[in-house]
Amino acid sequence: MQQFIELVNNFFDPIIKLGAPVIMLIVMTGLAMLFGVKFSKALEGGIKLAIALTGIGAIIGMLTGAFSESLQAFVENTGIQLNIIDVGWAPLATITWGSPYTLLFLLIMIVVNIVMIILNKTNTLDVDIFNIWHLSITGLLIMWYAERNDVSTIVGLLVAIAAIVLVGVLKIINSDLMKPTFDDLLNTDHNSPMTSTHLNYMMNPVIMILDKIFDKVFPWLDKYDFDAAKLNQRIGFWGSKFFIGMVLGFVIGIMGNPTISIESVQGWFGLGFTAGASLELFSIIGSWFIASVEPLSQGITNFANSKMGGRRFNIGLDWPFIAGRAEIWACANILAPIMLIEAILLSNVGNGILPLAGIIAMGMTPALLVVTRGRLLRMILIGSLLLPLFLLSGTMIAPFATELAKNVQAFPANAPADALITHSTLEGPMEKIFGYLIGQATTGQIAFVLGFVIYLVFYLGIFFWYAKQMKARNEEYVKAAAK
């Protein structure tokens, strides 16, 4: 087994090191050609997807960097002690891909996806292969604990594979469940193939529980809600994405430097302009994702009509194809200072992270958008309630992430040797807890095994309840389309 893993890793490692945009260019181009699209059109789609991924990453990096500097100053001014370094998603992706087991997990999930399609258990073709690293972290976490509990490597690997397949199957099923909601949010018809298999949407069941509670307890809340796009239409500039972003950036700038001076005011406006530009650019780049899948979409449609009796297939993409919705970014900007305050309040009860690189909460805001369908007040309130889950799960995996980084020579060069690293808003906090409990259960202790069983029942129970709610929602979409 180990020799096979090393062989596969040696073959794919040079490709993986090219990075997500290049990988997705190759995948999108090759897949489109496989479905009969001519090379030039297939390559066009692949290049557009690679550019869109690069653009989203660059702007998130710019916005995160700008916010981080101001929030770091706020923490230093207040003397708060939070010692786990928030390195963001990119270093953790690099660290995870540095493990030979990540490619094994990818191959297994490709086979699982194909089997599910053949058995008509899904209509989604998962092309978001780079983000297998989100699942891989859960598997590697299980193996890390199993090793410390003197469980053999092969047993730990088999348990990890079982967990990854379970979560992977659920997230593919979830991509089918979300497809009509994506159509609604993007204002496209049901022939659009776009959906997402990204792990951040596995927060949907927990978000929906809170959303249903809001329906019962705060039914009046939606009277005061507003749609960012409709607000823009009604009041023009004052409701625009760049003005909302500018105000929020201005507020965070004041948090970092409340002293009134020429330099500080210049910094406030600079951060405000950066945030405003970012929100506007996110909307533009979001449209690039839609354009990138058109060649593949047409190829799949032609193939399905000629070979599969008209069966429709969905394309499971990375989350940013929905990035054009202003609510995602308005919510993320508002949650940034809220997360910092919560991190401080939780510093004595389990949180050790100063949220900087993950301050733009992309691990949650897209899922909030899908469940609430853009009701911004609900997104903000539910997000505020769930941010501690990300902080605590990020703290929980910090020793594992740190050791893994050192094992693959990917520990940040500028970090102290005894520091811990993590990602404050890492996708899939529920899955990280799942991996932690499985890993602890490998000790064989009754308390840990019982804790894992209880969590597994809860995890599956809320997912199947959520699936029932989404199916009811999708039936409403069908009825509305019939009218």
Side-chain angles (χ1 to χ4, degrees), residues 26-47 193 291-304 306 315:
I26 295 170
V27 170
M28 184 63 74
T29 302
L31 198 57
M33 292 178 64
L34 188 64
F35 281 100
V37 178
K38 66 178 182 179
F39 174 73
S40 60
K41 293 298 293 182
L43 182 62
E44 177 185 343
I47 290 174
S292 72
V293 301
E294 289 177 356
L296 177 57
S297 172
Q298 188 59 54
I300 288 177
T301 300
N302 295 339
F303 175 82
S306 62
I315 304 170

Side-chain angles (χ1 to χ4, degrees), residues 20-225:
V22 178
I23 291 172
M24 293 312 299
L25 184 155
I26 295 170
V27 170
M28 184 63 74
T29 302
L31 198 57
M33 292 178 64
L34 188 64
F35 281 100
V37 178
K38 66 178 182 179
F39 174 73
S40 60
K41 293 298 293 182
L43 182 62
E44 177 185 343
I47 290 174
K48 285 181 178 178
L49 181 59
I51 291 173
L53 285 169
T54 302
I56 286 288
I59 297 174
I60 289 177
M62 178 178 69
L63 189 57
T64 298
F67 277 18
S68 295
E69 183 177 347
S70 183
L71 295 175
Q72 179 73 58
F74 173 79
V75 170
E76 291 174 356
N77 293 337
T78 56
I80 295 162
Q81 294 297 317
L82 292 168
N83 299 319
I84 299 177
I85 301 173
D86 178 15
V87 297
W89 72 267
L92 280 190
T94 302
I95 291 165
T96 308
W97 274 110
S99 169
Y101 294 105
T102 296
L103 280 169
L104 175 64
F105 298 149
L106 171 60
L107 292 175
I108 290 170
M109 282 312 305
I110 289 174
V111 172
V112 168
N113 189 198
I114 293 172
V115 170
M116 290 179 69
I117 290 174
I118 292 173
L119 297 179
N120 284 322
K121 300 301 181 183
T122 184
N123 290 317
T124 296
L125 183 63
D126 184 5
V127 303
D128 188 22
I129 62 172
F130 181 80
N131 282 319
I132 188 66
W133 71 270
H134 292 124
L135 270 182
S136 180
I137 284 183
T138 299
L140 294 174
L141 182 65
I142 293 169
M143 296 179 66
W144 187 75
Y145 274 106
E147 181 181 348
R148 272 142 194 78
N149 294 329
D150 296 323
V151 175
S152 69
T153 301
I154 189 65
V155 171
L157 177 60
L158 291 175
V159 173
I161 289 172
I164 282 175
V165 169
L166 173 62
V167 176
V169 167
L170 295 181
K171 78 182 185 79
I172 291 173
I173 292 172
N174 189 36
S175 68
D176 289 317
L177 295 171
M178 294 187 293
K179 172 64 170 57
T181 299
F182 284 130
D183 292 342
D184 180 39
L185 292 170
L186 293 170
N187 196 29
T188 56
D189 61 34
H190 68 279
N191 291 318
S192 168
M194 291 183 297
T195 186
S196 181
T197 51
H198 202 282
L199 192 64
N200 61 17
Y201 293 109
M202 288 301 288
M203 280 297 293
N204 288 10
V206 179
I207 295 171
M208 183 163 281
I209 289 174
L210 294 175
D211 192 55
K212 294 295 183 182
I213 292 173
F214 273 60
D215 284 340
K216 299 294 184 182
V217 181
F218 308 113
W220 45 266
L221 183 66
D222 293 338
K223 295 179 182 178
Y224 303 97
D225 201 9

Side-chain angles (χ1 to χ4, degrees), residues 138 141-142 145 396-397 431-442 448:
T138 299
L141 182 65
I142 293 169
Y145 274 106
M396 180 191 71
I397 69 165
E431 289 67 38
K432 305 306 173 288
I433 296 172
F434 185 49
Y436 168 81
L437 291 173
I438 295 175
Q440 293 285 22
T442 59
F448 288 133

